[in-house]
């Protein structure tokens, strides 16, 4: 990203795109095949137990881990506090995007806190339009995943 684009569209904490980018560019993603909602598990407990600085590092680590497992065409947006939106323009048959995201989140670590195990609840849809409906359905599936895993 150019410095200018970086300044206005990158979330300063996680380096994912920010909500402004999603809002201003949402038409560009209107035909995304895959839409995935990601919520970092037990985030409030991490902040309460270890403090907000460690919570920030946990968010950074989860985001970096997910970002390093994406293709260049995939777009990760910090959608809210500990929620991320992943827009996947094209999905190859048999591609396991949700599993890849879950594994990436689970592999994230915070240096100096080996006891801190991170994970994320993930829900996604494929081929749902319009984008707002895809996000709504992915969000429902993410909360179902969270409930199934008791997070």
């Amino acid at each position: 990203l150019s410095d200018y684009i970086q300044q206005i569209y990158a979330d300063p904490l996680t380096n994912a795109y920010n909500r402004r980018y999603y809002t201003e560019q949402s038409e560009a993603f209107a035909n995304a095949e895959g839409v995935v909602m990601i919520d970092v598990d037990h985030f409030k407990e991490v902040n309460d137990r270890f403090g907000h600085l460690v919570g920030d590092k946990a968010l950074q680590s989860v985001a970096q881990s997910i970002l390093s497992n994406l293709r260049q065409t995939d777009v990760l947006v910090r959608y809210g506090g500990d929620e991320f939106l992943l827009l996947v323009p094209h999905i190859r048959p048999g591609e396991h995007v949700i599993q890849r995201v879950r594994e990436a989140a689970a592999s994230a670590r915070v240096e100096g806190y080996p006891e801190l195990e991170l994970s994320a609840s993930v829900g996604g849809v494929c081929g749902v339009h319009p984008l707002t409906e895809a996000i709504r359905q992915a969000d429902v599936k993410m909360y179902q995943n969270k409930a199934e895993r008791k997070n």
Side-chain angles (χ1 to χ4, degrees):
L1 296 177
S2 74
D3 287 343
Y4 176 72
I5 300 284
Q6 183 81 20
Q7 284 178 345
I8 62 170
Y9 288 139
D11 174 62
L13 180 66
T14 63
N15 216 29
Y17 285 102
N18 60 24
R19 188 76 179 253
R20 177 180 180 180
Y21 179 78
Y22 164 74
T23 302
E24 292 182 9
Q25 303 296 320
S26 60
E27 279 185 31
F29 305 113
N31 295 317
E33 280 184 43
V35 174
V36 179
M37 289 300 295
I38 305 158
D39 186 80
V40 178
D41 295 328
H42 309 294
F43 187 65
K44 183 182 177 333
E45 293 167 33
V46 170
N47 278 332
D48 290 349
R49 183 172 168 204
F50 298 100
H52 290 278
L53 194 61
V54 174
D56 285 353
K57 289 181 182 200
L59 269 185
Q60 287 172 328
S61 181
V62 169
Q64 277 312 121
S65 193
I66 293 170
L67 284 165
S68 68
N69 280 281
L70 299 180
R71 298 170 304 188
Q72 262 189 308
T73 55
D74 299 339
V75 174
L76 185 67
V77 176
R78 185 171 179 199
Y79 202 66
D82 64 337
E83 261 192 358
F84 294 87
L85 168 66
L86 175 60
L87 301 162
V88 184
H90 306 288
I91 297 177
R92 293 183 295 269
E95 190 171 18
H96 301 288
V97 175
I98 290 174
Q99 188 59 34
R100 197 169 70 223
V101 168
R102 267 195 204 114
E103 289 170 2
S107 73
R109 295 288 173 262
V110 176
E111 192 176 326
Y113 295 87
E115 71 278 20
L116 184 53
E117 290 189 21
L118 299 167
S119 64
S121 295
V122 183
V125 295
C126 195
V128 176
H129 301 286
L131 185 55
T132 52
E133 179 60 14
I135 291 171
R136 188 193 69 74
Q137 288 185 28
D139 202 45
V140 167
K141 290 184 178 214
M142 183 264 299
Y143 278 104
Q144 288 171 343
N145 179 243
K146 190 173 275 295
E148 288 164 8
R149 298 168 58 241
K150 306 254 187 296
N151 289 315

